[in-house]
Amino acid sequence: MIVDERFITYINSLDSGNTKLLEEIEAEALRTDVPVIRKETQACLKLFLTLKKPKRILEVGTAVGFSAIFMKTYNPTECTVTTIENYEKRIPIARTNFRRAGMEDAITLVEGDATQVLQQLDGTYDLIFMDAAKGQYIHFLPHVMRLLQKDGMLISDNILQDGDIIESRYAVIRRNRTIHRRMRRYLYELTHHEQLVTAVFPVGDGITVSSKKA
């Protein structure tokens, strides 16, 4: 827990909630141990969508489709969402959820390894939401920079690793050390990239919000 749990409980108690379908999908995901973006992160994402009003959104990491539907629902302007997922068991669940939401024409799910898929995509996106394997963020970054339009927004979730990111690599469980090293490198790249202005927020499990300079 990055922020005192009492603060999080209070902040989340102020949340006005989501649509009935989103609440159902979130509950189903949590019952089956599928991670979805945390409540406080959802609130921030609603704000950024309202401010940015992106027409083309790219998501790296679909899971069961909650966040793709969330972004389409709370974006105040018409938009399309392209989302990438490699875990075969979750793909049919995501497709079913897109049909439940009546968004199968607006949300395109691309199956495959994100590194390969990102190389094949063309055009640019107003908003890119990174919510996939944390150890791969640094490998996705060059492709994301190519696809992010000028003045575009990059939001990366789960960047503080439940607080592990501030620990010495030797204080981190051995199996997590590679992810720890790569995420630290990713954060350094974001905050020192000459084309980006980046802020790091201790919200949920940590998010970064980056804007590509015009």
Side-chain angles (χ1 to χ4, degrees), residues 183-207:
M183 183 55 74
R184 279 197 163 198
R185 182 182 164 202
Y186 179 71
L187 290 173
Y188 183 88
E189 290 293 330
L190 287 184
T191 53
H192 291 77
H193 200 292
E194 62 181 8
Q195 289 184 279
L196 296 176
V197 176
T198 297
V200 183
F201 298 99
V203 173
D205 192 22
I207 62 171

Side-chain angles (χ1 to χ4, degrees), residues 134-139 161 165 176-189:
K134 296 186 288 293
Q136 300 303 313
Y137 283 15
I138 188 64
H139 301 311
Q161 302 176 318
I165 199 70
N176 292 336
R177 288 179 184 174
T178 298
I179 295 175
H180 178 267
R181 173 173 51 81
R182 289 179 180 177
M183 183 55 74
R184 279 197 163 198
R185 182 182 164 202
Y186 179 71
L187 290 173
Y188 183 88
E189 290 293 330

